Structure formats: C-alpha cells, structure tokens
Amino acid sequence: MKIKNMKSVPKKIKKPATKKRKPLNKVTTDEFFSQSFEDDIDDDDKYSNKVDENMDKEDANSSESDMDPMEHKRSLMKLKQTDPEFYSYLKENDKNLLEFNISDDDGVDNDGIDDDGVDDDDESLSNKLDKKHIPNDQLEVASDESDYEGDGDSGTKDKRKITLQLLKTWQSEIQKDKSLKTIKCAVEAFHAALQTVVDVTDPEIVHYKVEGGAVFNGVVQLCVLYLPNALKRYLKLDSESQFQVHKSKRFVKVKNILKSYLTDLIKILQNVTSSNIVTVLLKHLHQMLPYAQSFSSLTKILLRILLKYWTSGEETVRVVSFLCILRVATSNRESVLEMLYKAMYVKYVENSKFVSLTTLPGINFMRHSLVEIYSLDDNLAYNHAFLYIRQLAIHLRNAMTLKKKEHFQAVYNWQYINSLRFWCELINVSKSNSMLHSLLYPLVQIIIGTIKVIPTPQYYPLRFHCVQLLIDISRETDTFIPLLPFLLEILSSYDFNKRHKAVSMKPIPFICALRMSKSQLLENGFKDNVIDSIYKLILENAAKDSHKIYFPDLYIPCIIQLKAFLKKCHVANYCRKMKQLSEKIEENRKHIETERNKTVIDLKNMSQIKNWENKIKTEGTSLSKFYESYVKIHQSQKLKLLTKNDEIAEYNIPTIRKLKKGKSNEDSAEESDESSDFDLRIKTNEEKSEKPAKPKKKKKKLKVSKDTDNIDLPTENTDIVQDINFDDWS
C-alpha cells in the first residue's frame, strides 16, 4: 500500500478522550454480551485500528500517487506538536512507525514495478519499501471475545469456542448481574456441553462449542452452583414466593430459557451412571424443582427418572431422589399424587421380590418412604389401599379354595408379605380418625388367613413374619388380636426331642426366609431358631399387654401350655428358655391380680379402666422392664455378629474326644445323670495338631460340657455380614 500524504492522518483521527482508560478484562455486561458477540477492544487497540482505517482510506483516494518520505517525516513531526498524547502513544507502542519502517507489499510486484508500471530505480526508496511494519508482540487483548473463532459481523452461525477464562468471567458476572444475558449464556453453554455427551436427534442451533473435560466440568459447575441463585435474584423471589414462580412478573421472559435448561438437565440425568455425579445433579434438581412445577409436560418424565433412582440407586442417590419426589408431590398434590401413588406402589412391589441381607435395607427404605408419600392425603390413600388390599384378599381366597400350586405361590412369596407389611405400617402411622383405620379388620383377617393356608413346619418362618405384623398392629392401634395360639401351636405340634440329622455351623436367618427346604428342616439350627423366635414373640406380646387389666385371664392358658411343653421336652437349652418365660409371665400375672384387688373397678366404666392401666404402665411392670433389657442385649449381640464377616469370624468347631477310662472330668460331673464315655469339648487348633481325634465305629450318646457356654460362638440365627445396621431390618 502506498501513502500519498500523511498530513491528513492527524486530522481524520479523533482525539482520544482524556478520561482514564478502562482496566483490561473488566468490561460491562452490556458491552461484553452484545448480540453479534463482536470482539471488544480496549482503548490502546482502538488507537492502532484507527491508524489502519485512515491509512486504508488514504490508499483508496491516492492509489495513483507516489509518497515523499521526507514529507511523511515532516507530517509525523507536526503530529508531535498538534497531538502530543497520540504521538507519545505511538512512541511507546510502535516505534517502527516513527522510524519509517512502513511498507506494503501489496503495491509492489516481484519485478520491482509499481502499480503505475513505472520502474523505481531509487535504491534507498526500494530498501525502505522492502522493510515491513512489525507490530509489537506485547500488545494485550482487551476482551475474552478474542478467544472466539469466527467473526460476528460476517453473519455466519459458526460455533464459538468456550475457554476457562470466559467461564471465570461468567462466574463473576452471574453472581452480581441482575439481567438475563448471563443466565442465557450459561444455559446455552450447558446445552452445548450436553451435545458433546448425548446424541441429540434434533439438535438446536447453538452459539458455543465445548471442547475438553475441563471446560465441560466448568460449564456444569457454573450452572449447578450459581444458576439457582441467579434465577432467584432475577425473578425477585423470597422464601415465601419461591414455590409460586409463575406469579413473578419476569417469569414470561425467562420461561423458555428455564424449560430448555430443565430439559437438558433431565437428559443428562438419563445418561449419567456415576453415583457421585448423579447425587450432585439430583441435589441441583432439588433446587430447580420450584421452577419445574410450571411445566406440566416435564413432570411425568422427571418422575420416571426419580422413581428409577429411588428403587435402584445407591443409598445416597435413593435418599436425594426421594426428597425430590416428596417436593414434587407437595407442590403439585392435585395433579401428581394420583399418578404417584400407583407408580410408587408398583415399583415397591416389583423391587421387593427377593429379600436378602443386602437388599433388605433398600426394601425397608422404600417402604418407609412410600408410607410418607401415602400419608400426604388420607382420603386418596384410602381409595388405593382399598383396591390393593382387596386384591390381596382375592389371591388368598383363590389359594384357600382352589388349593393349586400356582395359587399357593401367589400368596407365599415376598411380594405378598411385603405388601401386607406396607399396609400395616400405613395404618399404624395414620391418625385414629383416619378412614384407613376402617381397613384394619380386613387386613388382620388376611394376615391370619395367610398363616392358615399351609400350617406346616416348612413355613414356620412365614408364620413368624405374620405374627410380628399382628403384634405391631396391636401395639400401635391398641387393638386386641388373638395371636398367642399361632405360637403355642408350634410347641404342642412339633417334636423338639427328635434328634437332628445334620449340624449347621452357619445359622439360618429367618429374617430373610419364608420357607425351609427339607435339608434345612433336619439341621439343628432350624429348631434353635424356632425356639428363639417363639420366645421373642411371646415375650414381646406379653410385655405389650403387661399393664392391661385382663392380663391374668389372658395368659393363664399360655402358662399352662408352657408348663406342658417343659414336661415333654428333654432338651436342656429349650427348657431353660421356656421356663424363664413362664416364670416372668407368672410373676407379672400375680402383680396385676394384686393391683386389681386393691381397688374396686367398674368394668362398664372404660375411662376408669384406662386410667388404671395408664397408672400401671407409668409405674412399670417387671415384665416390661425385663423385655427392655432383653431387647438391648439382643440387639447388641445382633450388631456384634453382623459386623463380623466370614473371613474375620473364627469358628471354634466342636470335635469329639474320647476320655480315658478311670479319669473323671470336672465339667462332666456337673452335667446330666446320663453316663457316657465321650465328652463334647472345644479344641483349639494346637490341641488338634497335638492330639488328633480318632474316629469311632460305635455311635454313643454325647454329653454337652458347660465349657461350650463360655465360648464366643454365634448364638443368633443370622448371617455374619459386614456393615449392616440392625435397625434397617429389625
């Protein structure tokens, strides 16, 4: 490019303002987020750009003229006098311009002939023209928009690359700015990040491009941490009006942006597998739910995702997803509860098919959380409870009348038992005047009928589960239920003196079983568990009724049957437990009779009877105190066993060792009168290595030594599993 006259340069360049220049990277929001996303330049770059623009204009007007170098120099020297500030700027930033290192190869071809076709023989001028103008390398960029690729003025829709520096600027702006531009940019960036990880069938036009994991995480972090507060500040919401977002005057402006962002958030939740990331996104979704309630089309999809994580996620994911479900249910009761009740109950039944020590905590959590949801509206819950309890009754009727295998299996399964357990808990936590209490009688009849379908020893575990449900209902609703016959029947019908044919070193957990196999019925652990379960359930029921005025009359048959069992049972361990239980019940019976004889009570006056029972309950009975101590010991033993793993626990296996004739044993002298040449002892590994046991051909009776009572063996019939809380499945 050739320059004709430089005198016109200072005239056409406006004199810069005398005010201080803005610091770099600190621009206003309106300048930064222009619709065309043009590059913002600071004052320093504006000066240099103005020089280029004016030089281009001079070149257009004088393309046929030649340049006089001396005249150029004089023009610049005159600039020093007319505009010293601009001259000092040129001197600081581009000394080459003042030293005439200016040339443009556009006007000179390879043969040294200018555009006019005239040869330039002046060597000095040729040398000057060969020198190129080299800009300063230390020029700073005034705006982060220079990180974008493409020119906004060109009218094209090229995607602009997002950098970490731009995200930092957005982060500072979104915390202070009350306009919508920063929010809109963050939402569009989130949508661009979504397209990098999710296949979008109908992608929308985006203005940004996200590359790299660091930028992706930065975009997500920006939205998760700062977007809820920015929306609340823009819509001017407080703690009271946050659930009525649609009533805000500015909601119309942000409606489309919110719907787009919530849709993208749902899509990411559908495609994320890491539990940690799901937890973070669900917590963010919990904050965004007040805005989501304004979009009814998203509610069904959102609940479907939340129910999925509620049933199959990790523990933390389950809890956070339930909190989101609860917030949706409380904000949209009329439109959501009807659908939510049915969907959650079906999900609960589907995921309670298999029960083990690993799945039991999750099933218990689903049941408790489902009770919370159903408690929101008793009238609506009654309609669902009536239909589902009736369905359970139909299955039971078919099993009792048709007596086919498929009908028995429809009742004797975990889904049926867990459904009964859920409805029992729902009625227990409901208010006394609730309509749900009208379903108490049919529910109790279904449970009793379930016990009577197949009353064989193979299904004793299922019977114990049903009896536990009846005890819970009786205690919570203060209703009398005759359940003792179902426990005492086992003591009178089953032969506990029968010798077992197999030894089970690992206890059989009734808590996760409904039926026993034929091989398990032959093990000693089965009888031990049956006795322990009968002892626990009778003691719990008696402690529940220990302050009742009818306790002596109700438990006299129980005492009689317990004494009859002691007469025919020859197993010392079983007799000891039943004898202790009989003595505690007898002691409490005498105490209640003594208290009844002290006062005259009118049996028609129910208020007087209630006052008397409350007085006895406040004072406390010996049976109730004994049961409280038993529960503490029982739970501590369970926790001790459950925190041990099979690899950690060391089982001291009993072995048979023959005693030499003529030698007496101190422990064997204290046992029963039966004479025997063998003694059952616990041998350590060292003893086994020193004196290996010799097999005997003849079978002889075994005598149990008292040394075995002091050994720390598993006494409860539960699996030894690590990191399981007893409260989760008790």
Side-chain angles (χ1 to χ4, degrees):
M1 178 180 65
K2 291 188 176 183
I3 302 175
K4 178 182 178 182
N5 189 2
M6 289 296 294
K7 291 182 179 180
S8 59
V9 174
K11 297 180 181 179
K12 293 188 178 182
I13 298 179
K14 296 181 181 180
K15 186 176 181 180
T18 57
K19 61 179 181 180
K20 294 183 180 180
R21 289 171 293 170
K22 298 179 181 178
L24 298 180
N25 296 327
K26 291 186 179 180
V27 293
T28 61
T29 308
D30 295 332
E31 293 174 350
F32 187 78
F33 295 104
S34 59
Q35 294 182 356
S36 60
F37 294 94
E38 296 179 349
D39 296 342
D40 293 334
I41 324 170
D42 60 356
D43 295 336
D44 296 342
D45 290 338
K46 288 180 180 178
Y47 295 155
S48 59
N49 288 342
K50 288 180 179 179
V51 174
D52 295 337
E53 292 175 1
N54 286 277
M55 291 176 67
D56 291 339
K57 293 180 180 179
E58 285 292 326
D59 181 55
N61 296 329
S62 58
S63 58
E64 298 179 355
S65 302
D66 294 331
M67 176 189 67
D68 188 358
M70 298 302 296
E71 195 171 348
H72 183 195
K73 183 176 181 180
R74 285 194 297 269
S75 299
L76 292 177
M77 294 302 295
K78 189 176 180 180
L79 178 65
K80 182 177 181 181
Q81 299 176 358
T82 58
D83 198 343
E85 185 178 356
F86 182 65
Y87 184 87
S88 62
Y89 165 75
L90 294 177
K91 187 176 181 180
E92 292 175 1
N93 293 276
D94 202 350
K95 295 181 180 180
N96 295 331
L97 183 63
L98 300 179
E99 295 174 358
F100 304 100
N101 293 331
I102 305 174
S103 66
D104 197 326
D105 295 332
D106 296 336
V108 181
D109 58 10
N110 295 331
D111 297 332
I113 301 175
D114 57 0
D115 296 334
D116 297 331
V118 181
D119 294 333
D120 191 357
D121 297 330
D122 192 351
E123 296 181 358
S124 60
L125 181 60
S126 177
N127 293 334
K128 292 180 181 179
L129 292 175
D130 290 336
K131 295 182 181 181
K132 298 181 179 180
H133 167 59
I134 303 174
N136 193 351
D137 296 336
Q138 298 181 354
L139 291 177
E140 296 182 357
V141 182
S143 174
D144 293 315
E145 296 291 337
S146 60
D147 294 332
Y148 294 157
E149 294 179 354
D151 189 3
D153 295 335
S154 61
T156 60
K157 297 180 180 179
D158 297 335
K159 297 180 181 179
R160 294 171 174 81
K161 186 177 179 181
I162 298 179
T163 61
L164 295 177
Q165 184 65 28
L166 178 60
L167 291 177
K168 291 181 181 178
T169 306
W170 283 355
Q171 179 177 337
S172 60
E173 292 291 338
I174 202 171
Q175 299 180 55
K176 302 176 183 178
D177 189 20
K178 295 183 180 181
S179 64
L180 190 60
K181 292 184 179 180
T182 314
I183 298 175
K184 185 177 181 180
C185 291
V187 171
E188 290 181 353
F190 189 83
H191 184 72
L194 172 66
Q195 291 188 353
T196 61
V197 295
V198 178
D199 294 334
V200 183
T201 56
D202 189 13
E204 299 178 2
I205 299 175
V206 293
H207 301 284
Y208 299 101
K209 184 177 181 181
V210 176
E211 291 182 353
V215 177
F216 179 87
N217 294 336
V219 172
V220 176
Q221 183 179 359
L222 175 69
C223 295
V224 169
L225 296 180
Y226 304 105
L227 192 58
N229 292 332
L231 289 170
K232 188 183 297 184
R233 184 169 54 252
Y234 174 76
L235 296 174
K236 297 180 180 180
L237 301 176
D238 52 11
S239 58
E240 297 180 357
S241 61
Q242 64 176 346
F243 294 103
Q244 298 177 352
V245 182
H246 59 281
K247 294 183 179 180
S248 177
K249 296 181 180 179
R250 296 184 176 182
F251 179 74
V252 179
K253 298 180 180 179
V254 80
K255 182 178 180 180
N256 295 331
I257 298 175
L258 273 175
K259 187 174 183 180
S260 174
Y261 178 72
L262 291 172
T263 305
D264 294 340
L265 185 59
I266 291 173
K267 289 180 181 178
I268 284 189
L269 281 171
Q270 290 175 330
N271 294 272
V272 173
T273 56
S274 175
S275 59
N276 295 330
I277 299 177
V278 171
T279 303
V280 173
L281 293 177
L282 286 176
K283 290 181 180 178
H284 174 58
L285 177 63
H286 187 266
Q287 294 178 317
M288 299 296 296
L289 284 178
Y291 309 102
Q293 68 181 358
S294 302
F295 308 101
S296 58
S297 59
L298 300 177
T299 304
K300 190 174 181 179
I301 305 174
L302 184 61
L303 287 177
R304 188 183 298 115
I305 299 172
L306 293 175
L307 289 177
K308 173 187 173 183
Y309 288 121
W310 175 66
T311 56
S312 60
E314 208 179 16
E315 182 179 0
T316 307
V317 175
R318 285 172 178 246
V319 174
V320 180
S321 60
F322 169 69
L323 293 177
C324 294
I325 293 172
L326 185 62
R327 193 162 193 174
V328 173
T330 52
S331 59
N332 299 325
R333 287 195 177 187
E334 298 178 357
S335 59
V336 172
L337 280 184
E338 182 73 26
M339 174 186 64
L340 197 59
Y341 280 0
K342 182 178 180 180
M344 292 187 71
Y345 179 76
V346 171
K347 285 287 185 181
Y348 166 72
V349 174
E350 288 178 352
N351 290 272
S352 61
K353 186 175 182 180
F354 303 101
V355 176
S356 63
L357 290 177
T358 55
T359 61
L360 189 60
I363 294 174
N364 289 338
F365 170 75
M366 285 192 294
R367 184 173 64 253
H368 297 327
S369 56
L370 188 57
V371 170
E372 292 292 331
I373 295 294
Y374 268 77
S375 300
L376 295 176
D377 191 342
D378 288 347
N379 296 329
L380 186 59
Y382 171 80
N383 298 332
H384 288 264
F386 180 85
L387 293 176
Y388 289 122
I389 292 176
R390 182 176 179 271
Q391 186 179 12
L392 296 175
I394 292 173
H395 287 300
L396 179 62
R397 183 191 62 186
N398 294 335
M400 297 180 70
T401 56
L402 301 178
K403 296 183 179 180
K404 293 183 179 180
K405 183 179 180 180
E406 57 270 16
H407 297 100
F408 288 146
Q409 291 177 349
V411 175
Y412 277 33
N413 60 76
W414 273 117
Q415 290 177 321
Y416 194 89
I417 298 300
N418 284 324
S419 298
L420 291 175
R421 186 170 294 167
F422 164 69
W423 297 118
C424 289
E425 288 190 9
L426 179 60
I427 293 176
N428 292 339
V429 301
S430 61
K431 299 179 181 179
S432 58
N433 57 353
S434 175
M435 294 180 62
L436 291 171
H437 278 265
S438 61
L439 301 174
L440 180 61
Y441 178 78
L443 184 62
V444 171
Q445 293 300 317
I446 292 174
I447 297 173
I448 294 175
T450 304
I451 297 174
K452 294 180 179 180
V453 172
I454 307 178
T456 59
Q458 193 174 11
Y459 290 98
Y460 279 169
L462 183 140
R463 176 181 296 208
F464 295 143
H465 285 294
C466 292
V467 171
Q468 184 66 59
L469 295 179
L470 295 176
I471 293 175
D472 295 339
I473 293 176
S474 178
R475 179 179 58 252
E476 298 297 332
T477 61
D478 196 15
T479 305
F480 171 72
I481 301 175
L483 53 88
L484 285 176
F486 303 114
L487 299 174
L488 298 174
E489 179 187 357
I490 300 175
L491 296 178
S492 59
S493 61
Y494 190 79
D495 186 11
F496 289 93
N497 295 322
K498 187 178 180 180
R499 185 182 297 274
H500 54 268
K501 297 182 180 180
V503 177
S504 58
M505 295 309 302
K506 191 174 182 180
I508 304 172
F510 281 0
I511 191 68
C512 298
L514 292 180
R515 64 182 294 272
M516 295 283 106
S517 62
K518 293 182 179 180
S519 60
Q520 290 174 333
L521 293 175
L522 302 177
E523 297 178 357
N524 63 330
F526 172 72
K527 293 189 294 183
D528 295 342
N529 267 1
V530 170
I531 290 295
D532 291 340
S533 299
I534 294 175
Y535 176 85
K536 175 183 177 298
L537 292 174
I538 292 179
L539 179 61
E540 183 179 358
N541 190 68
K544 173 181 66 67
D545 298 331
S546 60
H547 64 283
K548 298 292 184 180
I549 195 171
Y550 54 79
F551 183 87
D553 309 302
L554 179 63
Y555 281 87
I556 285 179
C558 178
I559 296 173
I560 294 174
Q561 293 197 36
L562 289 176
K563 290 181 178 180
F565 172 79
L566 293 174
K567 290 181 180 180
K568 67 178 183 179
C569 182
H570 304 295
V571 182
N573 190 22
Y574 303 161
C575 292
R576 184 172 65 252
K577 285 192 172 184
M578 293 297 109
K579 184 178 180 180
Q580 184 187 43
L581 180 61
S582 177
E583 291 175 352
K584 293 297 180 182
I585 294 176
E586 180 67 21
E587 180 183 356
N588 193 79
R589 182 188 69 83
K590 293 179 179 179
H591 173 69
I592 296 298
E593 285 184 346
T594 304
E595 294 295 328
R596 284 195 312 189
N597 295 331
K598 291 182 180 179
T599 58
V600 178
I601 301 175
D602 185 9
L603 297 180
K604 295 181 181 180
N605 191 351
M606 295 303 299
S607 61
Q608 184 180 2
I609 295 175
K610 286 292 182 182
N611 293 334
W612 185 89
E613 290 178 349
N614 292 334
K615 177 183 177 183
I616 299 297
K617 185 178 181 179
T618 304
E619 294 176 355
T621 60
S622 59
L623 188 59
S624 62
K625 294 177 181 178
F626 174 76
Y627 175 71
E628 292 176 0
S629 62
Y630 167 79
V631 168
K632 293 180 181 179
I633 298 173
H634 184 73
Q635 289 183 351
S636 62
Q637 290 178 352
K638 286 267 186 167
L639 291 173
K640 183 179 179 181
L641 290 173
L642 292 173
T643 51
K644 293 181 181 179
N645 204 345
D646 291 336
E647 300 177 355
I648 302 175
E650 297 180 357
Y651 292 100
N652 295 320
I653 302 176
T655 57
I656 298 175
R657 183 175 61 181
K658 183 180 179 180
L659 294 177
K660 294 183 179 180
K661 295 182 179 180
K663 291 188 178 182
S664 60
N665 192 340
E666 296 178 359
D667 297 332
S668 61
E670 299 177 0
E671 293 297 326
S672 61
D673 298 332
E674 297 180 1
S675 58
S676 177
D677 294 336
F678 295 92
D679 186 23
L680 185 62
R681 288 193 173 191
I682 304 299
K683 293 177 63 179
T684 61
N685 295 330
E686 296 178 357
E687 292 177 349
K688 292 179 183 179
S689 60
E690 294 176 358
K691 297 179 181 180
K694 296 180 180 180
K696 297 298 179 180
K697 297 181 180 179
K698 298 181 180 180
K699 295 182 179 180
K700 296 185 179 181
K701 294 182 179 180
L702 303 180
K703 186 179 292 185
V704 181
S705 175
K706 286 187 177 180
D707 292 340
T708 57
D709 297 336
N710 299 326
I711 303 301
D712 189 11
L713 288 175
T715 57
E716 300 294 334
N717 299 320
T718 55
D719 285 336
I720 301 176
V721 181
Q722 192 173 5
D723 295 334
I724 297 296
N725 190 358
F726 176 79
D727 295 335
D728 293 336
W729 53 271
S730 60

